[in-house]
Amino acid sequence: MRLIKLTGVCATLFVGLIAGLLIYLRVQSLPAASISQTSEMLDLQGNVIDTFHTTQNRRSVPLDQISPYVVQATLAIEDRRFYEHEGFDPVGMGRALLVNVHNMSAKQGASTLTQQLARNLYLTHERTWGRKIKEALYTIQLEMHYSKDEILNMYLNQIYYGHGAYGIEAAAEQYFGKHASELDLAESAMLAGIPKGPKYYSPYMSMKNAKDRQHTILQVMANDGVIKQTDADKAYRELLTFKPLSESRGNSFAPYFRDYVRSFVVGQLGIDERLLDEGGIRIYTTLDSNAQRAAEKAVAEGIPSNTEQQAALIAIDPRNGYVKAMVGGRDYPNNQYNRVFATTRQPGSSFKPILYMTALQQGGMTPLSRFMSAPTTFTYDEGRLTYEPHNYNDKYVNDYIDMRQAIASSDNIYAVNTIMQVGADNVINMARKLGIDSAMKPVPSLALGTFPISPFEMASAFGTFANGGVRVKPIAVLRVEDSSGHVLYEAEHESEQVVDAAHAYVLTSLMESVFDTGGTGHRVSATMNRPVAGKTGTTASDAWLVGYTPELATAVWVGYDKGRQLTTTEAHRAAPIFAAFTEGALAAVPPKIFPMPEGVVSAYIDPKSGKLAGEGCEDNKRLETFIAGTQPTETCDGSSSKAEDASSTGTDARKEEQRKSWWGDLKRWWKE
């Protein structure tokens, strides 16, 4: 009788102890689990171009964004009674014990998903009784504080799938290049088998082991009635397409752009690097992946692989300032220096359009303003200093030439005459308006681009010409969101009319001649199937082509990092890169003409006299563009009565010529 009473007291105390423990665990908070999430960088189309993480590549997703096949396969192989037990599965423990006794080894484990989650969230994997007791307590707390779906969701976002991928979303991207919601039955069964032994069951390490494990999972699902046997057999036979492991370990796409964005987000936006690496933020960028691929291809094919010559390419949409493509060099793994932002290279003659824009806007010069193209010594600083520029290869016309001829042939004597007339200080002011911040001095040699400017600044400045004189501040990052979708940063669209639209159009018309016969860019004109304006630039150690279409302003630089001089062949590589990139990036875009604004007129002129073409001098006439009111009023034959009619007729002729040009370009583009 006493024994019965003692047993009852002990049982009561035990039940009370258990109840007290459960109450205690219920009111206690679980330890803080710091689960890092992979941050992502996306291109303009929403494609992931880079991920940031420390040791764990992770992107958490809600349960409804995970394929049902993943859930079914995981439960089938890891915890078939997950929704029936309270964190511990006595049935599963008994089954595992029988299997292990039969095989005389610990072949089958009995940990539930909740136990595994408790271990992964809060504990190490050491094999001690203390760790096992803590695991049991945390398992109970998880079951108390969270629903089954919440536990399953945390598990699928926490478990390790090998090769640095934590969570099913990161695994789906790493192995198959898709979202977890897009996984089919075969892919789900393959991934569900990896966590048991990532090194052993990874398809990258052993396809045989991975397929055997997949078969086991599919068969369990079929035996449990989750799927049909025919579906299991079909899934096993499915030929899976895996993403190359080299790609999953680190995409080499747009590396210079990715570095630039990271620097901007951390350095200028002040976002903590830990948040970037672990916070699951999303960075939406302006990169156009098609344009970027065209840029990388153009640079790779434009310079022989056996040379140390470097290149940089930057392309900006002049209409909104979006940075569409960026190549900062040719060998990123060994040299991460981004030459797009290098302020150590002279732009040479590619700077001249800024000079000529100053001249046009001041009103003292027109496309017909003429200077002698011959060796000249210039005096400045009130006669105390002289400057004696030379044309490339000492080639001179030894006659008067106008602005269009000077731009097309890149005549240095004409350029220095121009800066002497308009004033170097005014040219610097114009450069500042166009967004160029690099240091410059008001000396005659400024006209020839002797002061270093970055390709980024040059592309931005030329984008203003392409955009009708409206400068739009370049943008690379559109928006940054935290892991919950809250906006941390959103770019502001900054634009300003810094140049009159009519002057920008006249300069554009002049720069189109660079690609005409006799122009410095004529070698690539046959490969350009759309209207394009630009300017070449060559110094002893630098070669440039900076140009634009209505949709894209691009700067290309080639040279050597250590200032080694270029051969003629090496200097000629910038233009083909520019042409190949422009056509490749805009392959799906129909050719467009530069829109003519108000205040522009065109007239047929006689280049020799600089007057309107008359009846006696029509053989060599040229259609020229002017700011309204600056066109000639006299014809070359001495008459003036037809001047007004000639200029207005010329305007109609210009429009007709543009229409025909546009139609021809469109037909060429369509045939390509």
Side-chain angles (χ1 to χ4, degrees), residues 505-528:
Y505 181 83
V506 170
L507 180 65
T508 295
S509 172
L510 294 170
M511 292 168 64
E512 288 182 279
S513 294
V514 169
F515 299 96
D516 291 341
T517 302
T520 55
H522 75 279
R523 293 182 184 87
V524 298
S525 60
T527 63
M528 304 290 290

Side-chain angles (χ1 to χ4, degrees), residues 605-636:
I605 58 98
D606 171 36
K608 186 174 181 62
S609 65
K611 298 179 180 180
L612 295 173
E615 294 180 358
C617 49
E618 291 185 335
D619 292 342
N620 296 315
K621 68 179 181 180
R622 184 183 83 208
L623 188 62
E624 191 54 83
T625 304
F626 302 92
I627 303 299
T630 66
Q631 70 272 29
T633 57
E634 294 184 2
T635 59
C636 58

